[in-house]
Amino acid sequence: MIQKNIPLKDASDTSKTTNSPGVYILYRNGCIMKVGKAEIGIQKRMQQYYGCNSFCGLNCYINEQNRDSVTVTYQTCSKEECKELEAKLFSKYGGVAVMPWATRAPSLNSDMCKLLI
């Protein structure tokens, strides 16, 4: 499943998003800020971000003042495909050099999955 440019709040809402593993792109004001994987599930990861959870790693970027300006595009996949697809997202969208909220670049170990976003 693919969802494009939905508000972070909606992506974290249990009535609007199912909790499946996947990869995602976070945007703020139309600019890509971070790509990542959510082996625990897209909904759960977005709940961490929207709730400004101190364990999510982005609480220095996403806060109560700006969280409603963040949108998400995501692709669900199996938990096993998450790492490969995250690496492909990094490669496709320019990596750490162009994503202000990205802190690390994942390594691509296989080429078995198709990135759809």
Side-chain angles (χ1 to χ4, degrees):
M1 175 198 323
I2 299 172
Q3 291 288 329
K4 294 187 176 185
N5 293 320
I6 62 172
L8 180 61
K9 183 177 184 177
D10 290 353
S12 69
D13 188 328
T14 58
S15 69
K16 296 181 180 181
T17 308
T18 59
N19 192 46
S20 300
V23 292
Y24 58 89
I25 305 168
L26 293 178
Y27 299 88
R28 182 155 183 247
N29 301 323
C31 297
I32 295 177
M33 305 307 282
K34 176 182 173 43
V35 301
K37 67 181 183 311
E39 293 176 343
I40 64 168
I42 295 290
Q43 180 194 84
K44 292 235 185 265
R45 175 70 75 230
M46 297 309 121
Q47 285 173 344
Q48 290 175 332
Y49 292 160
Y50 192 77
C52 303
N53 184 316
S54 61
F55 298 107
C56 75
L58 288 185
N59 61 332
C60 60
Y61 301 114
I62 299 175
N63 55 52
E64 290 181 9
Q65 290 74 38
N66 70 13
R67 67 185 179 183
D68 289 323
S69 66
V70 177
T71 59
V72 182
T73 293
Y74 67 85
Q75 172 184 337
T76 58
C77 60
S78 71
K79 186 176 178 179
E80 295 74 29
E81 295 172 320
C82 284
K83 287 181 183 179
E84 177 183 334
L85 292 177
E86 180 190 31
K88 288 180 177 183
L89 278 175
F90 259 77
S91 177
K92 181 176 181 176
Y93 292 108
V96 174
V98 298
M99 292 181 231
W101 296 351
T103 58
R104 60 166 183 78
S107 58
L108 182 59
N109 295 326
S110 63
D111 192 18
M112 304 296 291
C113 309
K114 183 171 180 162
L115 181 64
L116 302 174
I117 57 175

